[in-house]
Amino acid sequence: MLSPRIRAHGRAFAHIAEFHPELTALRRDLHAHPEIGFEEHYTARRVVEALKVCGVDEVHTGIGRTGVVAVIHGRQRTSGRMIGLRADMDALPMTEHNDFAWKSSRPGMMHGCGHDGHTAMLVGAARYLAETRQFDGTAVLIFQPGEEGFAGAKAMIEDGLFERFPVQSVYAMHNWPQMKPGTVGINPGPMMAAADRITIEVSGKGGHGAHPYLTVDPVLVSAHIITAVQSIVSRNVRAIDSAVISLCSMQAGDPGAFSVVPGKATLVGTVRTFNPDIQSLVERRLAEVCSGVAMGLGATAHVQYDRVYPATINSAPEARFAADVAQRLLGHEHVVRDMEPSMGAEDFSFMLQVKPGAYLRLGQGGEGSCMLHNSRYDFNDEVLPLGAALHAGLIEQGMPLSGATD
């Protein structure tokens, strides 16, 4: 049963709600069988099986290694329009600590970010669109592998995704536990930050811990670097801009060798930004600060800066359109059009660098809900029909039949 908290309008929502139990069963099966990036073989098979039962026109597999694409033609195809919808399929390399019947059956793997729910929602949209075909054009449903650090979107693009399926725009949504079920958030600009990986190698001179004056201690140098790099954001980046530098790991020496000063230390962390100019500034200043601090203490430091995911930037017309679709489904009071960006990252950004489109957040929790990437997280099945109906609305309203009404 759908909660009375979710009040959605239109035939798509009512139609999809009729097979809510089937979507829930699929979602829970995927949750019980999580697979990490580019290993989504079971997941892809289940998606293909479901799509064929839905009656889609075409199913393409192996795109970007384990990606799946479904094609559904509308009742009319006079517009020549083609719109893409994307859902990510992969899980996380983490141990689940839930105890319900559909908990992960695979040690060290868990659907801790809700990609099982995203996949099920897009399957739900596929079934509805194939059964009704109330649109003029072609819907392209993209089931993407490897979002969690594997750049699966980039892999699909490099494998010819948009050459084979030349969509005019593309949309994705992600569940958001900090928003209540029955709400949607979006904005016409940045939604997620760029995610960069930094590795700082500090080289000194090892020796005896009782005689540190004979060494160049890379642990001490690293400590000064950890403190110094925080000045980059506070003293180089304008307060109205956004940047985060987090050094999250330090490796040096042997824990069993308590009196040995090591010769090297390694720091690993991440940088998050929205603006490419700020991203370049941080990259440059990191090299300068780390080298300068190390040199001042008699050591050397080398910074490797890897740009992993670009920022996820919605194109304004598509963001406004998506918000209008959500508003028609939920009512204006349940759509946040100026959603605060997150410093998290998302590889849908690669698709938005090639095609105009928008990334939405779908509320599924509210106060006290378990956040993403938590070992006790679980997707809220209550919102499955809503997410599927929102996907369907993007297709039907983006490629309307002549004289169509909701």
Side-chain angles (χ1 to χ4, degrees):
M1 292 293 291
L2 290 172
S3 165
R5 289 180 296 173
I6 295 181
R7 301 291 187 185
H9 310 286
R11 66 172 180 273
F13 180 79
H15 186 122
I16 295 167
E18 294 179 359
F19 52 84
H20 188 186
E22 290 94 323
L23 293 181
T24 299
L26 172 63
R27 202 285 298 179
R28 294 182 178 181
D29 179 59
L30 296 178
H31 189 96
H33 300 90
E35 297 169 305
I36 61 172
F38 301 129
E39 296 181 8
E40 304 95 340
H41 303 291
Y42 177 85
T43 304
R45 284 198 303 271
R46 290 288 285 116
V47 166
V48 169
E49 291 168 1
L51 291 171
K52 289 181 177 178
V53 170
C54 291
V56 304
D57 297 298
E58 303 171 25
V59 178
H60 304 265
T61 62
I63 303 174
R65 297 172 62 175
T66 47
V68 177
V69 174
V71 175
I72 305 171
H73 300 303
R75 183 168 299 177
Q76 299 173 357
R77 296 171 66 182
T78 57
S79 72
R81 292 275 297 161
M82 184 179 287
I83 292 177
L85 304 174
R86 173 272 204 174
D88 37 17
M89 300 189 296
D90 59 321
L92 286 157
M94 60 186 290
T95 299
E96 183 165 6
H97 290 141
N98 289 310
D99 56 4
F100 40 63
W102 57 92
K103 68 181 180 182
S104 173
S105 63
R106 295 173 175 169
M109 297 185 198
M110 176 193 175
H111 268 295
C113 203
H115 297 183
D116 49 345
H118 301 166
T119 300
M121 289 190 300
L122 194 53
V123 168
R127 176 172 171 178
Y128 167 80
L129 292 169
E131 289 178 352
T132 60
R133 300 182 186 265
Q134 295 292 314
F135 59 97
D136 178 0
T138 301
V140 177
L141 281 55
I142 303 163
F143 296 86
Q144 181 210 301
E147 190 279 327
E148 296 287 358
F150 294 88
K154 185 179 181 182
M156 293 190 81
I157 293 168
E158 291 176 345
D159 204 14
L161 174 67
F162 292 133
E163 286 76 27
R164 296 174 64 180
F165 311 99
V167 300
Q168 283 83 42
S169 56
V170 63
Y171 299 87
M173 69 179 75
H174 201 296
N175 77 96
W176 201 242
Q178 292 176 306
M179 296 175 65
K180 293 180 180 179
T183 58
V184 168
I186 193 170
N187 71 55
M191 285 293 289
M192 305 285 277
D196 301 333
R197 176 188 173 95
I198 51 174
T199 304
I200 306 169
E201 299 283 354
V202 180
S203 298
K205 179 183 178 183
H208 200 299
H211 305 282
Y213 57 92
L214 298 175
T215 74
V216 178
D217 186 354
V219 176
L220 176 66
V221 175
S222 296
H224 282 276
I225 287 175
I226 291 169
T227 302
V229 298
Q230 296 308 316
S231 70
I232 295 173
V233 173
S234 65
R235 292 298 179 268
N236 293 265
V237 178
R238 297 187 310 166
I240 60 174
D241 292 322
S242 299
V244 170
I245 303 174
S246 291
L247 295 175
C248 303
S249 172
M250 176 176 174
Q251 303 294 322
D254 185 334
F258 72 96
S259 64
V260 177
V261 175
K264 294 182 181 294
T266 302
L267 302 170
V268 178
T270 187
V271 173
R272 304 297 171 103
T273 56
F274 293 110
N275 187 317
D277 291 337
I278 300 300
Q279 184 182 36
S280 296
L281 167 67
V282 172
E283 181 177 3
R284 175 175 58 81
R285 289 295 292 142
L286 269 167
E288 294 170 349
V289 169
C290 293
S291 178
V293 169
M295 184 181 299
L297 295 171
T300 60
H302 172 73
V303 178
Q304 179 176 328
Y305 195 103
D306 298 312
R307 300 192 179 198
V308 181
Y309 285 177
T312 304
I313 311 292
N314 287 343
S315 49
E318 283 70 26
R320 287 193 292 268
F321 165 70
D324 290 343
V325 172
Q327 181 171 311
R328 192 174 184 187
L329 180 65
L330 294 165
H332 71 89
E333 69 274 20
H334 299 300
V335 180
V336 179
R337 290 175 176 262
D338 58 351
M339 187 77 186
E340 182 179 274
S342 167
M343 297 308 286
E346 162 67 64
D347 80 340
F348 184 62
S349 55
F350 289 108
M351 295 192 183
L352 291 180
Q353 286 188 325
V354 180
K355 297 288 182 177
Y359 181 84
L360 306 89
R361 292 200 186 128
L362 178 68
Q364 72 123 8
E367 187 176 353
S369 295
C370 192
M371 190 48 178
L372 307 172
H373 292 218
N374 187 294
S375 64
R376 294 195 179 277
Y377 167 89
D378 188 33
F379 187 89
N380 183 357
D381 293 317
E382 176 185 17
V383 305
L384 289 170
L386 178 61
L390 183 52
H391 275 309
L394 293 167
I395 296 298
E396 290 186 334
Q397 295 173 48
M399 300 181 292
L401 290 171
S402 178
T405 58
D406 187 39

